[in-house]
Amino acid sequence: MGTRFDLAEATGLPSAFFDRPPELVARELLGCVVATCVGGVLTAGVIVETEAYLGRGDTGSHASTRGVTARNAVMYGPPGTAYVYFTYGNHHMLNLVCEPEGVAGAVLIRALRPIEGIAEMTSRRHGRPLRELCDGPGKLAAALGIDLGDNGSVLGEGRISVYDGDRPSPGEVAVSGRIGLTSGHELELRFYVAEDPFVSRGRPGPLRPKRRTAAQQGGPK
DNA sequence: TGTAAGATCTAG
DNA sequence: TAGATCTTACAA
């Protein structure tokens, strides 16, 4: 790996690739390439870390709500579309929708190894070093220029495309619990390339539950 | 309508 | 380690 990404020779992943259970897709996305073309600038990176999110029975998933909501509707959409959402007030997350239309499922892209448009990514990440450009879901979305405008876009037809790449051997793939969840973290649905320096630094398990109350927030923002 | 929680990141 | 940021879901 480590070869320069060539769009002309890259093979876009077909929707059939995503028309499968998220845990399968999440594992097989490792080594594939996510690319965006925002403002005429191409940026791309090799996927080194993913998490699978399932449907109603997965308490860590946005699809665990009582039914389809305005936010999670895209998770029930056709496979091979982008599900982008905004969280924690300042971060966008990139997910790829899996399963047939009508069935909720998605894979969160958690970390990339930058390979194309590094200067642009560095600019979008305010001069952060290469290792820190895409080593987290919020970071990679920022580096790739992804925002809510990409939510629901079909891969390869909008600004986001996903291409086949050099998959790691089974021995290089590690599995763990998902990161940052207070519920559902016990499920081993996080897949990453072991020993890869671009994998995020997060650790499995629940985040601290401490929150400010409305009174502590001290009025409108 | 109000409250609580959240698939995070960064500064100190 | 704690704070910033604000959208979403759900209960009352």
Side-chain angles (χ1 to χ4, degrees), chain A residues 101-149:
Chain A
E101 188 165 6
V103 180
V107 173
L108 170 69
I109 309 301
R110 285 195 57 90
L112 301 176
R113 181 191 323 119
I115 56 173
E116 190 66 48
I118 292 173
E120 179 67 19
M121 290 194 220
T122 303
S123 172
R124 289 173 182 159
R125 294 279 295 120
H126 309 291
R128 291 276 159 186
L130 180 67
R131 282 268 291 271
E132 296 176 21
L133 291 183
C134 298
D135 66 337
K139 297 177 185 180
L140 75 87
L144 294 176
I146 291 169
D147 58 32
L148 285 179

